[in-house]
Amino acid sequence: MDTAKGFQFGLRAKTVVIFLVFTTLISKSKVRATVQLGADSLDTNSLAHLVSQIHRDLEPEVISMLEDSEDYRVLSAQLNKIRSTDPQVIRFAYLFVATDDPNSALFAADADVLALRAKILAGEDIEETELSHLGSPFDITEFATARKVLETKLPDIDTEFVHDEVFNVNSISGYAPIFDRQGVLLAVLGIDMVDIDVQQALSQVTLLSALITASALLLSLLLSFLVGALLTRNIVALRQTVERFGEQDFAARAEVRSRDEIGALGRSFNAMAQTIVDYQGRMAQAERESVRNAENAKYLNNISQGLLLMDPDRIISGQYSRFLVQLFHLEDSPEGMDFLDFVYPDVEGSAHDREELFGFLTILKENINADQDMLDTINPFKDKELTVRDGVVIVVDAHFLRIGDADHVESIMVVFEDKTFLKETEQQREAERERYDAELESVAAILRNGPQIFGDFLNEGFTLVGEIKAESDTAADTPRMAHFLRQFHSLKGSARAFGLLKIAEEAHSIEDLLGKKDKASSLQLSVELLENDLHTVRETVERFQTMAQNSSGNAAKTELTVFVDSLTTMTKDLSAQLEKQVVFVPQIEVTDIPFLKGLKNPIIHLIRNALDHGIEDQYQRVAARKPETAQVHLEIRRNGSVLSVVVRDDGAGIDFGSIKRSAIRKGILAADAKVSSEDLVKIMFQAGFSSREAVTDISGRGVGLDTISAAVKDLRGKVRVKTVKGKGTAFTMTFPLGRSTD
C-alpha cells in the first residue's frame, strides 16, 4: 500500500514538473513573438508625432486633446488589434517613453484608455486612477526588464512569472523598443500575458494521475486471471493478422502484449509490414508529385506573374514561372540562389533594403501565429525599384504566402506583380500635368499683369541660365557663387511678384544646390527645368502679344503701372502665405522711370522683407493696440533732379538686439562688442547676413539687402534706413535723374 502511494505521488510530481517546464517555455516564446511582432506593426509616423508632444507637466485639457487626436486613436486601435490576437491571454498592451530619470518613464498610449473614458462619460463608476493617461508617470524601479530595455534598446521578457493576487493568475511581461527611420528610440511597447496554460496543465495532470493510479490498481487485480489466456490468444491473433495482411489489408498489425518469443515475433512482423507500407507510400507519393509537377509546369509557363517557391532558409527551388525569367531578364536559372541575392545582388549598395527584407522573412518564418493581414501591413516589398540585368529598372510588388501546416512552414511562395508600365505611365502623366500647370500659371500671370512687363524678366532669366550653364565648373567659386546667389534670389522674388510660383520654386531649389559639388547633377537638372519653364512663359507671352496686335481695345498700361499692379498682387499672395493681414498702398507721383528695369528688384526685395520681417501677425498687432491690418507703402516722387523711392511699413521696427545676436553668432561681432544702431544697419547690408536661423523660400540666405545695396550703387543711388521700435521702418532710395520723368 505504501509503495502504491509512493508511485502515485512520484508520477504526479514528475508529470507536474514536465508540464510546468513545457508550458513555461511555450508561454515565454509566445510573449517574445507577440511583443516583437506588435512593435514592428505599429505606425511610427503617428507615434513620432505623438511622442514629440509628451512631457511631465501636461495640463489635463492638453492630455484630453492629445488622447482625442487621430495619432492617439491610430495607436490605440493598433494596440487593441495586438491584444485581439489572443484576448484570453493578453491582459494589457501599452506604450511608454523614456525620461531623463532612469527610474521613471511616461505613458504614451494604453489600449484601455479610450474605452474607459467612454465608460466614464456614460456614467459608469470607474476611478480615474485606473487609467494610464498619456504623460502619466510610470515607476519602473520594480520593473527591471522594462528598465533594461530602455537602457539597452533591445527587446526582452521577464525571467519568471508573477502571481497576481487580485485576479489569481500568473502573468509575464515582454517589452520591445520602437525606432524611427533614423534609428532613434521613440517608445517601448509593453505587453502583459496571463499564463493560463499552467493552470490548465495542473488540472489535467491531477485528473491524469488519478486515472493512472486507478488503472494500475485494477490491472493488478486482473493480472493473475489474464496470464494464461494471453499466452494462447497471442499466437492465434498473430496468425489471423498474417492472414489479413496476405489478403492486402495493409493496415493489419499484430497486437504485442508480451516480451517473450511470441512478442518478439509480433514486433518483427509489424516492422516488416510497416516497411512494405512505407515503400508503397513513397512510390505513390512520387507518382503524385510527378503528375503535380507536370501540372505546375503548365501553370507556371502560362501565368502573367513572376512566381517562385523558396524554402524557409530563402533558397529558391526549381519551381518558378516563365514570366519571372522575362521580368528579371534572367539568363540562368535562379534555382539554388539565396532570395536576398536574387532581388538585391549589390550587397553593399542595398545593405539597408537587404536588412529590412531579412527581418521580414524572419518574421514570416518564425512567427507562425501572425495573420496574413498583419504580415501584409509590414511587407517592405511594395513599389520597389530593382535594377536587373543590363541596367534595366523594373518596379514590382511582392506578395509572400506561407505554405505548410499550423506548426511548420514548409516553403514560401513569392508572387511578383510587374508595375513598371504603371509607374512609367504615372510619371508621364505627372510630367504632362506639370507642363499644363506651368502653362496655366503663365496664362494667369499674363492676364493679371499684361504681356509687356515680362520682357525684362525673361531676358534676365535666360541670361542667368546661360551664365550658370557656361560656368558650371566655376559656379562653386566663392565670388561667382555670391553673384549667382544674388541673381537667383532676385529672379525668385520677381517670379513671385508676377505670380510665377513654379519658376520661383525652381530658383529656390537652385539656391539650395549652389556650392554643393556633390549635387552637380541635381543642379544641372534644376537649371534645365527652370529654362523649360522660362520657355513656356515666353511662348505664352508671344501668343498674347500676337493676339493683342490683331485686336483693338484700350491703350496698354505703362510699364510702371503694370509693375505697381504686380506688386499689389504679390503683397496679397505673400501676406496670405505668411498668414498676415496686409494692404499695399502705392503713392506714385511720376508716370515714367527711365531706369525702372534696374529698380524693380530692390523694390520687390524691400516689400518682401517688410512682409516677412517687419509686419507682425494680427494677434501681435492687437496686443500692441495697433490695427489688425498692416500697411506697406510705396512712394515714388520727384524732388527736382532727384528721384525718391520709399518703401515703408507700420510694423514692429528693426529689432537691433536680434541683429546683434545674429552678428555675434556668425562671428561678425565679438560677444562684448559695443556697436551703435548705425553700425548694425551697415551689418544688415553685408553679403551673407540674415537674422533668420533657417532658410525658407522667402528669406534666410542673407542675399536680400546685399542685393538691394548692389543694385542701388549700380544706379548711382543711395539708400537710408529709418526705424522706430513698435512703429515701423522706412527704406528711402534716392537716384539722380538725367531727364524728366513725368
Side-chain angles (χ1 to χ4, degrees):
M1 193 67 176
D2 292 337
T3 302
K5 289 183 178 180
F7 170 77
Q8 176 184 352
F9 175 77
L11 177 63
R12 178 178 180 182
K14 291 178 181 178
T15 309
V16 168
V17 170
I18 291 172
F19 268 78
L20 284 174
V21 171
F22 179 74
T23 54
T24 297
L25 292 175
I26 293 298
S27 298
K28 288 187 176 181
S29 175
K30 184 185 297 183
V31 173
R32 187 181 299 276
T34 301
V35 72
Q36 184 59 62
L37 190 60
D40 292 338
S41 68
L42 289 173
D43 186 334
T44 55
N45 290 331
S46 294
L47 181 57
H49 189 246
L50 188 66
V51 167
S52 66
Q53 303 176 72
I54 298 176
H55 57 80
R56 289 184 180 277
D57 302 320
L58 290 174
E59 296 295 333
E61 57 270 18
V62 176
I63 293 173
S64 179
M65 179 190 69
L66 291 176
E67 289 180 349
D68 287 332
S69 69
E70 181 63 21
D71 293 324
Y72 192 94
R73 293 184 178 277
V74 167
L75 294 171
S76 177
Q78 291 175 343
L79 290 173
N80 276 288
K81 184 173 182 180
I82 293 171
R83 186 162 61 181
S84 68
T85 59
D86 200 344
Q88 292 183 342
V89 173
I90 301 177
R91 301 171 64 200
F92 304 114
Y94 48 93
L95 295 165
F96 58 91
V97 297
T99 67
D100 53 3
D101 182 357
N103 295 320
S104 178
L106 297 177
F107 281 105
D110 188 290
D112 294 317
V113 165
L114 294 181
L116 290 176
R117 284 182 54 194
K119 290 181 179 181
I120 292 174
L121 291 174
E124 294 189 28
D125 186 14
I126 295 175
E127 295 290 338
E128 275 285 341
T129 55
E130 296 184 32
L131 277 70
S132 298
H133 277 299
L134 176 143
S136 60
F138 177 23
D139 184 359
I140 59 174
T141 55
E142 297 182 3
F143 299 90
T145 306
R147 179 172 177 175
K148 179 181 176 183
V149 171
L150 284 175
E151 293 174 351
T152 64
K153 299 182 177 60
L154 296 173
D156 205 349
I157 63 172
D158 290 343
T159 57
E160 59 185 14
F161 290 94
V162 177
H163 185 70
D164 190 326
E165 298 292 344
V166 177
F167 296 98
N168 193 26
V169 293
N170 292 323
S171 65
I172 190 170
S173 299
Y175 307 92
I178 305 168
F179 303 92
D180 62 13
R181 294 182 178 177
Q182 285 72 41
V184 177
L185 178 66
L186 293 175
V188 174
L189 171 65
I191 291 180
D192 298 346
M193 300 182 71
V194 177
D195 188 28
I196 61 174
D197 297 332
V198 173
Q199 298 175 5
Q200 294 174 351
L202 288 173
S203 300
Q204 294 171 357
V205 166
T206 302
L207 178 60
L208 181 61
S209 61
L211 291 174
I212 291 174
T213 302
S215 299
L217 292 174
L218 181 60
L219 287 174
S220 64
L221 294 174
L222 298 176
L223 185 60
S224 59
F225 299 102
L226 297 177
V227 172
L230 287 177
L231 290 175
T232 57
R233 288 176 58 188
N234 286 344
I235 297 173
V236 174
L238 180 58
R239 179 179 61 80
Q240 293 174 343
T241 300
V242 173
E243 291 175 352
R244 287 168 54 202
F245 196 84
E247 296 171 356
Q248 297 189 357
D249 181 3
F250 297 117
R253 295 292 185 274
E255 294 185 12
V256 180
R257 299 181 179 180
S258 63
R259 295 183 176 274
D260 55 11
E261 288 78 3
I262 298 174
L265 181 61
R267 285 190 290 274
S268 297
F269 171 79
N270 288 344
M272 178 193 69
Q274 189 61 46
T275 300
I276 294 172
V277 171
D278 290 345
Y279 177 75
Q280 289 180 331
R282 287 195 296 273
M283 292 297 293
Q285 179 66 21
E287 184 176 355
R288 288 193 297 269
E289 287 183 356
S290 176
V291 173
R292 185 171 65 245
N293 288 341
E295 293 175 349
N296 287 345
K298 294 179 182 178
Y299 171 75
L300 292 173
N301 287 335
N302 289 282
I303 62 171
S304 59
Q305 291 177 317
L307 185 148
L308 63 80
L309 286 176
M310 62 179 171
D311 65 21
D313 295 322
R314 307 189 308 275
I315 303 302
I316 299 174
S317 74
Q319 293 185 294
Y320 53 88
S321 67
R322 180 181 295 172
F323 187 80
L324 182 80
V325 176
Q326 299 171 356
L327 178 62
F328 282 83
H329 297 253
L330 299 178
E331 287 185 328
D332 302 319
S333 169
E335 183 177 0
M337 288 185 65
D338 187 307
F339 183 73
L340 290 179
D341 295 332
F342 175 70
V343 293
Y344 295 125
D346 183 1
V347 177
E348 294 184 0
S350 305
H352 174 73
D353 290 326
R354 288 172 64 97
E355 181 180 356
E356 185 179 35
L357 182 57
F358 173 80
F360 173 72
L361 293 176
T362 301
I363 293 173
L364 198 69
K365 170 185 173 183
E366 298 180 356
N367 291 270
I368 306 298
N369 296 325
D371 59 48
Q372 190 64 41
D373 289 341
M374 181 176 290
L375 293 173
D376 289 341
T377 301
I378 62 176
N379 179 4
F381 223 103
K382 298 175 180 177
D383 288 335
K384 278 290 183 182
E385 289 191 1
L386 301 178
T387 302
V388 297
R389 191 169 62 88
D390 298 332
V392 176
V393 177
I394 62 174
V395 181
V396 294
D397 276 359
H399 305 279
F400 298 83
L401 303 172
R402 295 179 295 193
I403 300 175
D405 53 33
D407 300 320
H408 177 67
V409 176
E410 294 180 359
S411 58
I412 299 173
M413 178 187 293
V414 186
V415 182
F416 290 99
E417 181 182 357
D418 185 9
K419 303 182 73 173
T420 308
F421 177 74
L422 294 176
K423 194 73 172 181
E424 292 174 350
T425 303
E426 181 181 344
Q427 291 172 348
Q428 292 172 357
R429 288 179 178 174
E430 183 63 27
E432 288 294 330
R433 189 182 302 112
E434 288 182 0
R435 285 194 293 271
Y436 179 73
D437 290 344
E439 188 166 345
L440 282 181
E441 189 178 80
S442 302
V443 171
I446 294 169
L447 287 174
R448 183 167 57 240
N449 302 304
Q452 65 270 27
I453 196 173
F454 292 93
D456 293 338
F457 171 77
L458 289 170
N459 290 336
E460 292 174 3
F462 281 116
T463 300
L464 184 56
V465 168
E467 285 183 9
I468 197 168
K469 289 174 71 175
E471 302 179 33
S472 58
D473 295 334
T474 59
D477 295 341
T478 301
R480 295 302 292 165
M481 186 173 72
H483 163 75
F484 283 121
L485 276 173
R486 284 196 298 270
Q487 295 303 314
F488 278 106
H489 193 74
S490 296
L491 184 69
K492 179 177 70 175
S494 298
R496 279 196 169 276
F498 297 146
L500 299 172
L501 302 183
K502 196 167 186 299
I503 290 180
E505 290 173 1
E506 292 298 342
H508 183 72
S509 297
I510 293 172
E511 285 182 289
D512 285 336
L513 296 169
L514 279 170
K516 298 179 181 178
K517 294 184 179 181
D518 59 331
K519 301 292 186 180
S521 59
S522 298
L523 176 61
Q524 181 180 358
L525 177 61
S526 292
V527 171
E528 291 176 357
L529 292 173
L530 175 61
E531 187 175 25
N532 291 337
D533 292 339
L534 289 171
H535 278 295
T536 299
V537 174
R538 183 168 67 182
E539 292 168 1
T540 309
V541 168
E542 290 173 351
R543 289 200 301 270
F544 271 85
Q545 288 175 335
T546 301
M547 288 188 292
Q549 292 171 0
N550 297 332
S551 62
S552 59
N554 296 330
K557 295 180 180 179
T558 66
E559 183 180 6
L560 177 59
T561 302
V562 172
F563 175 62
V564 173
D565 289 345
S566 71
L567 296 177
T568 302
T569 302
M570 181 191 75
T571 302
K572 179 180 178 181
D573 294 342
L574 189 55
S575 60
Q577 179 184 344
L578 295 170
E579 297 182 351
K580 296 179 180 180
Q581 296 183 9
V582 186
V583 62
F584 178 64
V585 183
Q587 295 170 278
I588 314 301
E589 299 179 6
V590 297
T591 57
D592 178 51
I593 300 177
F595 45 84
L596 179 60
K597 175 181 176 180
L599 193 56
K600 288 179 181 178
N601 281 334
I603 293 175
I604 290 172
H605 279 303
L606 287 174
I607 293 176
R608 286 164 60 85
N609 280 348
L611 294 170
D612 192 24
H613 295 279
I615 300 298
E616 317 95 319
D617 63 40
Q618 61 205 56
Y619 305 107
Q620 292 172 323
R621 292 181 66 84
V622 169
R625 297 183 179 180
K626 300 168 74 171
E628 288 188 36
T629 301
Q631 293 186 351
V632 174
H633 292 257
L634 172 64
E635 302 169 1
I636 303 178
R637 60 176 61 90
R638 178 180 178 179
N639 296 316
S641 62
V642 175
L643 181 71
S644 174
V645 180
V646 181
V647 177
R648 61 182 175 88
D649 63 71
D650 62 348
I654 297 175
D655 184 353
F656 286 112
S658 175
I659 300 297
K660 183 177 180 181
R661 288 191 295 272
S662 297
I664 294 172
R665 186 172 60 253
K666 295 177 183 293
I668 300 174
L669 290 176
D672 57 350
K674 295 182 179 180
V675 291
S676 65
S677 58
E678 289 78 8
D679 295 329
L680 292 173
V681 168
K682 292 178 182 178
I683 290 175
M684 289 167 53
F685 281 90
Q686 288 185 12
F689 179 81
S690 175
S691 61
R692 282 291 169 89
E693 294 282 349
V695 174
T696 69
D697 60 347
I698 300 174
S699 63
R701 298 190 188 276
V703 294
L705 293 181
D706 172 35
T707 300
I708 295 168
S709 177
V712 171
K713 287 181 181 179
D714 288 343
L715 297 174
R716 297 182 298 121
K718 297 179 181 179
V719 58
R720 300 192 311 275
V721 182
K722 181 179 180 181
T723 183
V724 178
K725 186 175 182 180
K727 299 295 184 181
T729 303
F731 286 83
T732 300
M733 298 177 288
T734 55
F735 305 93
L737 287 173
R739 61 181 179 83
S740 176
T741 62
D742 52 15

